[in-house]
């Protein structure tokens, strides 16, 4: 076999039959999830609809061109959707070789399937489903593997295509079940509708050709509406199929098709993106259906009159489609054409871009993709200028271009990034054939376009959204949220002068969950400090500026807190608002503190820990209350799923592991399989131990302050995080039982208000440390001295009192003297770690009976009896305290009388 540029080695390769359809493509995707080290290599061409789908959405899949694979490196061949080695092209030569293991996933088998001779029995996985995609989804779900909305869409396309949308005779119950599961996991109906293929009959083909010949295009609200009216002499069935095909062939956004047959006009309407509810449009002529597909039959009108009536109706109902201006990423970062490839790659990686724009003498010169830069570095060309590998045949779009126009440009030019230029500069750019860098307003990527389509689907499903290319909904009425509504309304009144103002962070999550929130974090696209100055002036507060970091704190006046919920008043006084300029963060090494740069709201949200914390609420008046969700946080919130935004999240900041465990415990969420694996990998790389002391302290304090920590400690034990923090840190089952016992004892002994919960629990998890180890570790954490003393007293001092408390002759006073020297947390800790009933009884008597017996006099009272200031005053007070503890005196008068007797008794009395 001839090898051309065979520079990629792969030990495990996934392949399928030539002319791969969606079922084969989806099955390969499923196999790639089962064998994450594998590469997908197609042996021949893909069907057209599959090829277009892969061109737009398959950039992140491990697909390798056949010509780039070093065939001799293959040690395992995984065949999907076929068991015939004659159908897999050059890979057929690997079947039967002793040094190549073959694995088969296939569903093309009769009642008595025959195993191919070149595959071992355990590697032959055969099913009787109508689609191979069905069985792959079944396997993934059985293994509890996460399936993303994109993957679910791909599997759904495979099932639809190989089962004729569940209509073919070989369709099984499992096909329907797995298709339903794909929908539950977020499969996009818009994508499925766009890429499915339906065959036509001869009569339908003839009508289709006439439709195409007669169709006209009307531009309404920035969208192309295809409209056609014609007459046929005989009845033709399946006009909806024809409409579907017209939509596919002409890339229609909206189609109105009216066919006059048998003295009636049969109307079919389609809306590809749900940007207009065509069922509502067809109500005008007595039709109906769904938002994306509707039909009707009209009598007494000609087809042309029906179309004109529908166009008139459509112009009043149609909403504007998202444009490049709405979805593009910004700001645009340029490098010069002479920049070295290695440096350009670093810049691209730093900003998380799949490519980067190149400028030369103030003009856009090209786009360098990550793939090309990676390949150049692999060939030792990292020192070469990036102009040698950049793509000069880029395309440009105007800000007003619709997402459908962007999609067409990307598919036609086979590009993943399109620079977007200002509308007023577009004609000049087209005329001159080049664009100045200051003409470029943003970059539209494949991800942006896909997100816009997902938003359109969300609109169809009834969510109110704003045109930002994101999944979104609206919090209504945001201005009426108690206490916070007034603040957010004030922020909205000031937001018009700024490009974007957003409520961000945990407060968005808590508002969506209906949970109490104590934080207001605002991100500003623009000058965040200037916005904070105006907000402080509006609310009558004061401001603390941090110009270096472009952040500020708005401290609200005390009178505003009168309206605040109780948890706000208790949690923070004075209450404040954190305002920051939208920024991106970069980590120079694992566990390092981040460096920051100005960025768009998308980049600002992308730097956050989990998708559920990477949402924002727009405070701009025109979009007030609109939830901006670029990364699927709303979906994860509903699914109670914790998911990181990118694979290096825990490596960049290992404290996120503690936060993930805390959210699991607090909200009942669970990390998905990928996130859990990434957390475990971070632990295995020993990065948790590299955390700065203050960050580790803050996370431990927050984690141990939760109402319950059973799940938290168990998860830390499972992930082996505790061992990384300190080899003797205890988070196992015995520690969980100890903390449960102590939590119950705190309530039963009525000392809840005196206990700092996290200090007591920290003592429990550090109880196995030696005195020296504990001292050094607490010093490393930089705990406050008072907090560290409580923990040390609990772990080191309290257990030493156990033997004395076991003494059967110990009096109440002696017991009081021993235990009163300890902080309350230490006493409760001793109660928890002691197994002896006598020790626990003495502690319970101390806390519930002896300790509440208060000394009601002080040194002033003693000196008023004639005793001079000095050590004797303290000695006498101690003697009275003993009488109080022993129950001999109780009231203040009795205590003063006892003091008089002691003064009169002289020094002998002092020894009581």
């Amino acid at each position: 076999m001839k090898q051309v540029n065979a520079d990629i080695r792969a030990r495990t390769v996934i392949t399928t039959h030539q002319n791969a359809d969606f079922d084969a493509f989806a099955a390969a995707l499923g196999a790639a999830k089962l064998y994450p080290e594998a590469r997908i290599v197609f042996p021949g061409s893909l069907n057209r609809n599959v090829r277009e789908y892969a061109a737009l959405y398959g950039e992140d899949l491990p697909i390798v061109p056949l010509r780039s694979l070093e065939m001799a490196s293959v040690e395992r061949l995984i065949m999907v959707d076929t068991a015939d080695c004659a159908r897999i092209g050059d890979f057929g030569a690997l079947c039967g070789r002793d040094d190549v293991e073959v694995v088969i996933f296939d569903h093309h088998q009769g009642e008595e399937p025959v195993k191919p001779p070149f595959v071992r029995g355990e590697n032959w996985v055969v099913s009787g489903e109508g689609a191979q995609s069905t069985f792959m989804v079944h396997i993934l779900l059985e293994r509890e593997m996460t399936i993303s909305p994109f993957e679910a869409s791909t599997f759904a396309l495979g099932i639809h295509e190989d089962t004729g949308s569940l209509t073919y005779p070989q369709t099984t119950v499992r096909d329907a079940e797995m298709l339903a599961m794909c929908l539950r996991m977020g499969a996009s109906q818009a994508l499925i509708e766009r890429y499915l293929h339906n065959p036509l009959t001869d009569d339908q083909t003839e009508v289709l050709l006439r439709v195409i010949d007669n169709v006209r295009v009307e531009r309404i609200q920035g969208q192309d509406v295809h409209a056609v009216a014609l007459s046929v002499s005989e009845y033709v069935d399946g006009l909806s199929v024809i409409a579907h095909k017209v939509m596919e062939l002409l890339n229609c956004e909206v189609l109105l098709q009216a066919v006059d047959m048998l003295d009636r006009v049969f109307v079919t309407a389609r809306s590809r993106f749900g940007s207009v509810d065509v069922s509502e449009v067809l109500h005008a002529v007595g039709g109906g259906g769904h938002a994306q597909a509707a039909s009707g039959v009209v009598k007494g009108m000609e087809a042309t009159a029906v179309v004109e009536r529908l166009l008139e109706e459509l112009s009043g109902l149609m909403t504007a489609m998202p444009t490049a201006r709405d979805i593009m990423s910004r700001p645009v970062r340029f490098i010069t054409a002479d920049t070295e490839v290695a440096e350009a790659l670093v810049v691209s990686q730093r900003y998380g871009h799949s490519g980067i724009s190149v400028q030369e003498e103030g003009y856009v010169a090209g786009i360098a993709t990550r793939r090309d830069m990676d390949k150049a570095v692999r060939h030792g060309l990292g020192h070469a200028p990036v102009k040698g590998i950049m793509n000069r045949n880029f395309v440009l779009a105007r800000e007003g271009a619709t997402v459908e126009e962007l999609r067409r440009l990307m598919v036609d030019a086979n590009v993943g990034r399109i620079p977007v230029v200002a509308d007023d500069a577009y004609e000049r750019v087209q005329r001159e054939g080049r664009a100045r860098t200051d003409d470029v307003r943003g970059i539209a990527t494949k991800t942006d376009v896909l997100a816009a389509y997902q938003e359109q689907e969300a609109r169809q499903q009834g969510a109110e959204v704003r045109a930002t290319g994101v999944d979104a909904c609206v919090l209504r009425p945001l201005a009426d949220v108690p206490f916070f509504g007034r603040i957010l309304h004030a922020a909205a009144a000031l937001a018009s002068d700024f490009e974007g103002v957003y409520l961000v962070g945990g407060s968005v999550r808590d508002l969506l969950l209906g949970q109490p929130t104590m934080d207001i974090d605002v991100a500003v696209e623009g000058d965040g400090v200037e916005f904070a100055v105006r907000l402080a002036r509006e609310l009558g507060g004061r401001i603390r500026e941090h110009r270096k970091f472009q952040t500020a704190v708005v401290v609200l006046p005390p009178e505003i807190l009168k309206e605040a919920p109780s948890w706000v008043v208790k949690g923070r006084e004075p209450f404040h608002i954190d305002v920051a300029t939208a920024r991106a963060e970069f980590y120079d090494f694992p566990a390092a503190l981040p460096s920051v740069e100005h960025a768009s709201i998308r980049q600002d949200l992308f730097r956050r820990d989990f998708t559920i914390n990477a949402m924002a609420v727009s405070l701009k008046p025109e979009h007030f209350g609109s939830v901006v969700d670029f990364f699927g946080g709303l979906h994860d919130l509903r699914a109670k799923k914790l998911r990181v935004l990118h694979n290096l999240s825990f490596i960049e900041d290992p404290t996120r592991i503690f936060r993930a465990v805390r959210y699991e415990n607090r909200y009942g969420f669970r990390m998905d399989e990928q996130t859990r694996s990434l957390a475990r990998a971070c632990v295995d790389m020993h990065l948790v131990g590299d955390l700065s002391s203050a960050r580790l302290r803050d996370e431990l304090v927050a984690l141990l302050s939760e109402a319950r920590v059973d799940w938290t400690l168990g998860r830390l034990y499972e992930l082996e995080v505790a061992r990384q923090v300190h080899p003797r840190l205890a988070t196992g089952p015995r520690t969980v039982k100890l903390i449960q016992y102590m939590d119950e004892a705190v309530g039963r002994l009525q000392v809840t208000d005196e206990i700092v919960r996290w200090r007591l629990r920290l003592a429990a998890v550090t109880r196995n440390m030696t005195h020296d180890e504990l001292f050094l570790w607490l010093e490393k954490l930089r705990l406050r001295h008072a907090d560290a003393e409580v923990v040390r007293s609990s772990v080191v001092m309290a257990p030493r009192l156990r033997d004395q408390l076991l003494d059967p002759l110990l009096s109440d006073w002696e017991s009081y003297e021993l235990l009163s020297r300890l902080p309350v947390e230490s006493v409760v800790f001793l109660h928890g770690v002691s197994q002896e009933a006598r020790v626990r009884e003495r502690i319970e008597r101390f806390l519930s009976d002896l300790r509440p017996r208060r000394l009601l006099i002080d040194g002033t009272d003693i000196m008023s009896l004639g005793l001079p200031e000095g050590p004797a005053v303290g000695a006498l007070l101690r003697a009275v305290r003993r009488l109080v503890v022993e129950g001999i005196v109780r009231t203040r008068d009795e205590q003063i009388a006892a003091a008089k007797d002691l003064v009169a008794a002289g020094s002998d009395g002092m020894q009581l």
Side-chain angles (χ1 to χ4, degrees):
M1 291 172 286
K2 184 178 180 181
Q3 295 291 306
V4 181
N5 296 326
D7 57 355
I8 297 178
R9 297 175 58 83
R11 296 177 62 184
T12 302
V13 167
I14 300 166
T15 194
T16 185
H17 55 79
Q18 295 171 315
N19 298 316
D21 56 11
F22 263 120
D23 195 37
F25 182 86
L29 170 62
K33 291 181 69 66
L34 296 172
Y35 299 86
E37 77 283 2
R39 297 292 180 266
I40 299 173
V41 185
F42 295 106
S45 62
L46 307 176
N47 285 355
R48 181 182 56 79
N49 55 344
V50 181
R51 185 169 62 251
E52 290 187 0
Y53 182 88
L56 192 57
Y57 307 118
E59 186 177 33
D60 295 328
L61 298 180
I63 299 174
V64 172
L66 177 63
R67 64 179 180 275
S68 299
L69 176 70
E70 184 178 327
M71 197 70 72
S73 67
V74 179
E75 298 177 7
R76 178 193 287 158
L77 181 66
I78 300 167
M79 299 167 56
V80 297
D81 202 34
T82 184
D84 187 356
C85 60
R87 298 188 64 201
I88 58 175
D90 291 345
F91 289 110
L94 301 181
C95 297
R97 278 178 38 177
D98 294 338
D99 59 340
V100 177
E101 177 188 17
V102 178
V103 180
I104 292 178
F105 293 88
D106 192 27
H107 71 119
H108 296 102
Q109 300 291 331
E111 293 182 358
E112 297 181 7
V114 178
K115 180 181 72 67
F118 52 83
V119 62
R120 297 196 301 267
E122 67 269 23
N123 287 348
W124 184 43
V125 185
V126 63
S127 75
E129 318 304 344
Q132 184 61 45
S133 303
T134 295
F135 197 57
M136 303 309 288
V137 174
H138 177 69
I139 293 173
L140 295 174
L141 292 178
E142 276 201 330
R143 297 193 181 188
E144 298 183 351
M145 298 181 73
T146 301
I147 296 176
S148 70
F150 161 72
E151 292 164 345
S153 301
T154 307
F155 289 129
L157 279 164
I159 296 171
H160 270 291
E161 191 167 72
D162 248 34
T163 66
S165 295
L166 306 181
T167 62
Y168 293 167
Q170 69 269 26
T171 301
T172 66
V173 172
R174 183 174 285 172
D175 288 314
E177 290 174 342
M178 294 302 102
L179 180 57
M181 287 301 300
C182 288
L183 295 178
R184 290 192 186 100
M185 292 181 291
S188 169
Q189 293 285 52
L191 288 182
I192 295 169
E193 165 70 15
R194 186 177 308 114
Y195 288 99
L196 275 181
H197 171 76
N198 290 297
L200 300 178
T201 65
D202 291 342
D203 289 341
Q204 289 172 333
T205 301
E206 182 180 346
V207 174
L208 171 66
L209 294 175
R210 289 188 60 194
V211 168
I212 293 174
D213 287 340
N214 290 276
V215 72
R216 75 180 199 264
V217 180
E218 299 283 343
R219 189 81 171 174
I220 303 176
Q221 293 285 2
Q223 299 183 56
D224 288 339
V225 177
H226 287 68
V228 61
L230 54 85
S231 177
V232 296
S233 58
E234 296 182 0
Y235 181 78
V236 177
D237 194 13
L239 292 177
S240 62
V241 176
I242 295 172
H244 174 82
K245 199 66 179 177
V246 172
M247 292 282 287
E248 181 182 76
L249 291 174
L250 301 183
N251 282 317
C252 302
E253 298 170 14
V254 178
L255 172 67
L256 300 176
Q257 174 184 283
V259 180
D260 194 340
M261 296 187 301
L262 306 178
D263 299 325
R264 289 173 291 177
V265 176
F266 294 82
V267 185
T268 308
R270 292 287 185 270
S271 172
R272 186 185 296 275
F273 315 118
S275 56
V276 60
D277 186 344
V278 291
S279 67
E280 190 173 352
V281 175
L282 260 62
H283 282 325
V285 293
H290 303 289
Q292 287 184 277
S295 60
V297 179
V298 182
K299 295 181 179 180
M301 293 180 68
E302 293 184 353
T304 52
V306 171
V307 168
E308 294 303 320
R309 176 73 181 87
L310 293 177
L311 287 173
E312 180 182 347
E313 185 74 16
L314 190 62
S315 62
L317 294 174
M318 204 167 198
T319 57
M321 254 189 119
T323 64
R325 180 185 297 105
D326 299 318
I327 70 168
M328 65 187 181
S329 302
R330 58 186 188 275
V332 183
R333 291 180 172 86
F334 284 95
I335 58 173
T336 64
D338 293 325
T339 303
E340 292 185 356
V341 170
E343 182 183 346
L345 181 59
V346 169
V347 174
S348 182
Q349 290 170 336
R350 185 178 197 188
Y351 293 104
H353 295 337
S354 59
I356 195 159
S357 303
V358 183
Q359 64 95 3
E360 201 167 22
E361 296 181 355
Y363 287 88
V364 182
I367 294 177
T369 66
R370 280 270 293 274
R371 181 176 297 174
D372 289 339
M373 289 186 283
D374 282 331
K375 193 169 184 178
V377 170
R378 197 163 61 241
H379 286 294
L381 299 176
H383 63 283
V386 74
K387 63 185 177 184
I389 65 162
M390 69 182 183
N391 179 16
R392 294 181 181 271
N393 296 321
F394 58 90
V395 293
L396 300 167
R398 56 187 175 82
E399 284 185 286
T402 65
V403 291
E404 175 61 10
E405 290 174 310
L406 293 173
R407 186 188 73 82
R408 292 176 188 171
L409 284 173
M410 288 177 177
V411 171
D412 293 344
N414 192 26
V415 296
R417 300 170 63 82
I418 296 179
V420 179
V421 300
D423 285 334
D424 56 5
Y426 186 71
E427 288 188 9
R428 172 177 53 78
V429 168
Q430 291 293 96
R431 187 171 59 253
E432 296 178 356
R434 59 178 184 171
R436 301 168 186 161
T437 55
D438 54 8
D439 291 332
V440 180
R441 296 291 184 263
I443 293 286
T445 67
K446 292 178 180 179
T447 302
D448 297 328
V449 172
L450 178 59
Y453 287 136
Q454 290 174 336
E455 176 192 326
Q456 293 297 324
E457 186 173 358
R459 186 192 302 275
Q460 180 190 351
Q461 293 171 352
E464 291 191 58
V465 298
R466 53 168 291 197
T468 54
V470 298
D471 184 16
C473 69
V474 174
L475 286 175
R476 290 185 182 274
L478 189 61
D480 295 338
V481 176
F483 177 62
F484 297 102
R486 173 188 171 186
I487 298 172
L488 299 178
H489 189 72
L494 301 171
S496 297
D497 292 338
F498 297 84
E499 187 172 349
V501 178
Y502 303 89
L503 181 68
V504 296
S507 53
V508 177
R509 175 200 67 227
D510 291 338
L511 282 170
L512 288 167
L513 289 173
Q515 297 280 341
T517 184
M518 296 199 317
D519 298 309
I520 295 184
D521 295 309
V522 175
V524 179
E525 287 181 313
D527 190 340
V529 175
E530 174 60 25
F531 179 82
V533 169
R534 298 186 190 183
L535 184 61
R537 188 184 306 127
E538 177 71 17
L539 296 174
R542 54 191 175 85
I543 184 172
R544 296 199 300 263
E545 297 183 24
H546 305 283
R547 284 281 179 184
K548 178 181 178 182
F549 301 105
Q550 282 293 289
T551 63
V553 177
V554 177
V555 181
L556 301 184
E559 52 268 24
I560 286 186
L561 285 175
K562 295 177 182 178
E563 308 168 18
S566 59
W567 68 81
V568 172
V569 177
K570 290 180 180 178
R572 182 176 296 140
E573 252 184 303
F575 187 80
H576 67 261
I577 303 168
D578 292 312
V579 180
T581 301
R583 62 194 189 274
E585 291 183 349
F586 307 100
Y587 294 81
D588 296 324
F589 54 88
L593 293 172
S595 55
V596 299
E597 289 186 10
H598 293 182
S600 65
I601 187 62
R602 182 190 182 102
Q603 291 169 307
D604 184 275
L605 295 174
F606 185 68
R607 69 184 175 83
R608 297 174 187 271
D609 46 14
F610 307 105
T611 57
I612 63 169
N613 291 334
M615 295 179 285
V617 175
S618 176
L619 299 181
K620 294 274 283 185
E622 61 268 33
H623 303 305
F624 187 70
S626 195
V627 179
V628 180
D629 177 23
F630 293 101
F631 311 111
L634 281 170
H635 178 271
D636 291 341
L637 208 62
R638 298 185 189 107
K640 293 191 172 184
K641 181 192 301 181
L642 274 176
R643 182 166 56 88
V644 291
L645 274 75
H646 56 88
N647 289 350
L648 296 180
S649 184
F650 290 130
I651 292 175
E652 292 179 344
D653 185 2
T655 61
R656 289 170 175 167
I657 297 177
F658 295 93
R659 221 166 301 147
V661 172
R662 180 152 49 92
Y663 291 151
E664 285 188 319
N665 182 67
R666 180 189 299 175
Y667 299 115
F669 288 13
R670 294 296 177 261
M671 286 184 269
D672 69 355
E673 182 180 356
Q674 172 73 352
T675 299
R676 193 165 58 249
S677 298
L678 293 172
R680 187 59 183 269
C682 178
V683 173
D684 291 343
M685 286 185 272
H686 304 285
L687 296 177
V688 176
D690 293 337
L691 283 168
S692 65
S693 54
R695 297 170 76 201
L696 177 60
R697 174 201 64 214
D698 293 344
E699 289 300 332
L700 284 175
V701 169
L703 187 144
L704 294 173
S705 297
E706 294 287 315
R708 295 183 62 87
V709 294
D710 313 22
W711 172 268
T712 300
L713 296 178
R715 186 65 119 183
L716 291 179
Y717 183 78
E718 173 195 332
L719 295 173
E720 299 185 5
V721 173
R723 190 176 302 174
Q724 290 276 314
V725 174
H726 192 283
R728 292 184 184 270
L729 203 66
T731 59
R734 282 182 292 184
T735 301
V736 171
K737 288 186 66 176
L738 172 60
I739 291 178
Q740 287 173 337
Y741 179 87
M742 292 192 302
D743 285 349
E744 182 274 332
V746 166
R748 178 165 49 84
L749 298 173
Q750 298 181 351
V751 292
T752 304
D753 293 339
E754 302 177 64
I755 291 288
V756 178
R757 187 158 45 191
W758 69 264
R759 298 196 305 202
L760 177 59
R761 291 166 170 178
L762 186 59
V765 300
T766 58
R767 69 187 188 283
N768 293 336
M769 296 184 189
T770 66
H771 188 185
D772 290 342
E773 288 174 334
L774 181 63
F775 180 85
L776 291 174
W777 190 68
L778 294 178
E779 285 291 310
K780 178 184 175 183
L781 284 186
R782 298 183 184 176
L783 283 180
R784 289 189 316 159
H785 179 73
D787 295 329
E789 279 300 308
V790 170
V791 178
R792 280 197 290 265
S793 175
S794 301
V795 176
V796 179
M797 298 302 298
R800 295 179 181 178
L801 304 182
R802 185 182 299 152
D803 291 342
Q804 298 176 66
L805 292 172
L806 283 170
D807 185 352
L809 301 178
L810 194 71
S811 68
D812 280 349
W813 170 245
E814 290 169 327
S815 174
Y816 179 90
E817 279 214 302
L818 287 173
L819 295 173
S820 61
R821 301 169 188 167
L822 299 175
V824 181
E825 291 96 339
S826 302
V827 176
V828 175
F829 177 80
L830 178 57
H831 186 278
V833 297
S834 300
Q835 301 301 314
E836 301 83 2
R838 177 171 292 169
V839 174
R840 288 185 171 179
E841 287 170 3
R842 291 193 188 278
I843 291 173
E844 289 178 10
R845 177 165 170 73
F846 166 75
L847 289 174
S848 61
D849 191 9
L850 303 182
R851 198 170 69 107
R853 298 177 183 181
R854 302 295 183 186
L855 186 65
L856 303 176
I857 62 175
D858 56 23
T860 304
D861 296 314
I862 300 300
M863 289 187 289
S864 70
L865 299 176
L867 196 67
E869 183 177 357
V873 174
L876 192 140
L877 283 172
R878 179 175 178 274
V880 176
R881 185 188 299 276
R882 176 172 180 173
L883 295 173
V884 172
V885 170
E886 291 177 341
I888 298 173
V889 298
R890 291 179 174 83
T891 67
R892 174 177 166 80
D893 290 342
E894 289 175 346
Q895 293 178 23
I896 290 177
K900 285 180 181 179
D901 292 343
L902 290 171
V903 170
S907 59
D908 291 338
M910 301 302 177
Q911 302 304 315
L912 291 174

